[in-house]
Amino acid sequence: MDTFPRARLRKVLGIRRSSFLYAFYIFFYATYLITGGFMFAAFEAPVERAIRLNVAQKRDIFLLKHTCVSNVELEELIQEIVRASDRGVSAVNNVSGEPNWSFGQSLFFASTVVTTIGYGHVTPLSKEGKIFCILYALLGIPLTLVLLTAMVERLMIPSTLFLQFLNSRLGHLYAPFNIRLLHFAIVLIILVTLFILLPAFIFANIEPDWDYLDSLYYCFISLTTVGLGDYIPGDAPNQKYRPLYKVVTTGYLLIGLVFMMLTLTIFYDIPQLNVGMLFMLRTDEKTTDPEKVRLKAPGSLGPKYTPCHSNEFISEKTETPSSGDCTPVHSQS
């Protein structure tokens, strides 16, 4: 007779536990941000002070050598150059070089908008361009997400087959979780090698002012869609085949984002690593609300590529695996 009170008690304790963990996570996250702020300030502030001092010295030397130029005139020139630079027009590279809005450059800019990388080094200058950028992003971002998601879905098919192969070979030696970790590690190594390390080597050899660390930094910042915009390929003076270079870089970014999403999908598909489940509010699974039942049905939140969610890779004679083990079945009688 006390089944209902016990179930209610378990539910309350589960909610309190998840709420406590969530509050702790918020505290940890805030601490993480504050620590990052202190560390960046410690690393970057001395470099900034050195640059400011160097600019001030150069400015004083220039005024001493050119007495016909007043301090006010020089200040106005500097302000004009800074305003132009903030809008993507460099007095060094673009005044006599290729404009920012050639087709190759414009295509590269469009790709950074719809992929939400948004380097910010080049921005629309006209009112018409700004309005079009808003409308273009409103439609382009969802279209890009659909495209990338569809590509990831198709790549999950060979990925799952490879996971099944690993399970068939190693399932009798290792637990399903360890096999999934091995599968994820292999995919991660492929991602890092083909889309970060190798492209960084190529960029380091093409870009005259980039070393390997700069190129590695650019690849990581771009594929994670952070897009700081401090390093942009193809913006060096007298860059050969700049439009083609920009188009190829656009293709690299799109394909790299697909493989980045694939890696994250495989990671989140490992239940033991899905830390976010600790913060979920647990509700009564035996709900009588038809709408809630429909929403809680397996696969209702999107396609899954493990046999516990999809029968595409399981023989019709294979029994359905238990919910605790989503690893593909490798041996059946």
Side-chain angles (χ1 to χ4, degrees):
M1 295 180 63
D2 59 344
T3 302
F4 178 75
R6 289 183 179 179
R8 185 177 182 84
L9 178 60
R10 286 196 299 267
K11 178 180 177 181
V12 172
L13 292 177
I15 293 176
R16 289 183 177 178
R17 178 176 177 272
S18 63
S19 299
F20 172 78
L21 291 175
Y22 184 57
F24 176 77
Y25 183 80
I26 292 176
F27 173 78
F28 170 79
Y29 187 76
T31 304
Y32 186 78
L33 290 179
I34 294 173
T35 303
F38 278 117
M39 295 302 295
F40 281 121
F43 289 137
E44 301 301 327
V47 179
E48 181 189 11
R49 285 194 295 268
I51 294 175
R52 286 177 177 271
L53 179 60
N54 181 60
V55 171
Q57 291 175 348
K58 296 278 187 182
R59 186 174 181 276
D60 294 338
I61 293 173
F62 180 86
L63 290 175
L64 289 175
K65 289 183 177 181
H66 303 83
T67 56
C68 59
V69 179
S70 68
N71 185 30
V72 176
E73 291 174 337
L74 179 59
E75 189 70 22
E76 290 177 351
L77 177 61
I78 293 175
Q79 290 178 358
E80 191 66 29
I81 292 175
V82 170
R83 279 195 294 267
S85 179
D86 290 340
R87 304 189 70 182
V89 180
S90 172
V92 177
N93 299 335
N94 299 106
V95 169
S96 59
E98 183 180 347
N100 284 327
W101 296 102
S102 63
F103 175 74
Q105 298 270 54
S106 300
L107 179 64
F108 182 75
F109 171 78
S111 69
T112 61
V113 170
V114 297
T115 57
T116 69
I117 295 177
Y119 290 122
H121 70 300
V122 174
T123 57
L125 304 178
S126 64
K127 294 182 179 179
E128 296 83 359
K130 294 176 181 178
I131 295 174
F132 177 76
C133 183
I134 294 174
L135 300 177
Y136 188 77
L138 284 175
L139 180 61
I141 292 175
L143 287 176
T144 304
L145 291 177
V146 170
L147 174 64
L148 297 182
T149 302
M151 295 179 70
V152 169
E153 288 182 359
R154 282 154 179 77
L155 288 176
M156 282 298 293
I157 296 176
S159 174
T160 302
L161 292 176
F162 179 58
L163 177 59
Q164 290 180 330
F165 171 78
L166 292 177
N167 194 61
S168 65
R169 298 294 183 179
L170 305 175
H172 62 289
L173 297 176
Y174 301 100
F177 174 67
N178 295 331
I179 297 176
R180 280 181 170 272
L181 285 181
L182 175 62
H183 173 252
F184 171 71
I186 293 174
V187 174
L188 182 62
I189 291 174
I190 293 175
L191 169 72
V192 172
T193 302
L194 295 183
F195 295 96
I196 295 182
L197 298 180
L198 181 59
F201 175 79
I202 296 174
F203 282 125
N205 284 273
I206 294 178
E207 296 293 333
D209 298 328
W210 296 13
D211 57 21
Y212 187 76
L213 178 59
D214 296 332
S215 303
L216 195 69
Y217 168 81
Y218 164 77
C219 293
F220 177 81
I221 291 298
S222 297
L223 294 186
T224 54
T225 68
V226 175
L228 296 178
D230 46 353
Y231 289 92
I232 307 297
D235 279 4
N238 302 319
Q239 176 69 56
K240 294 182 179 180
Y241 309 108
R242 179 173 295 169
L244 178 61
Y245 185 21
K246 290 287 188 177
V247 172
V248 173
T249 304
T250 300
Y252 157 71
L253 292 176
L254 290 174
I255 298 175
L257 286 176
V258 170
F259 275 83
M260 178 66 74
M261 290 180 61
L262 172 67
T263 306
L264 292 176
T265 300
I266 294 174
F267 174 80
Y268 286 121
D269 213 23
I270 304 177
Q272 294 87 340
L273 299 181
N274 194 350
V275 183
M277 295 299 296
L278 297 174
F279 313 130
M280 300 295 291
L281 293 177
R282 301 173 182 268
T283 57
D284 186 10
E285 296 181 356
K286 297 182 180 180
T287 178
T288 57
D289 190 340
E291 183 66 15
K292 293 183 179 180
V293 171
R294 185 186 68 82
L295 291 175
K296 297 174 72 173
S300 61
L301 297 181
K304 298 294 183 181
Y305 299 95
T306 51
C308 61
H309 296 289
S310 174
N311 295 325
E312 182 177 355
F313 304 107
I314 303 179
S315 172
E316 294 180 356
K317 297 181 181 180
T318 303
E319 296 180 0
T320 304
S322 62
S323 59
D325 181 10
C326 296
T327 303
V329 178
H330 63 274
S331 61
Q332 297 291 336
S333 57

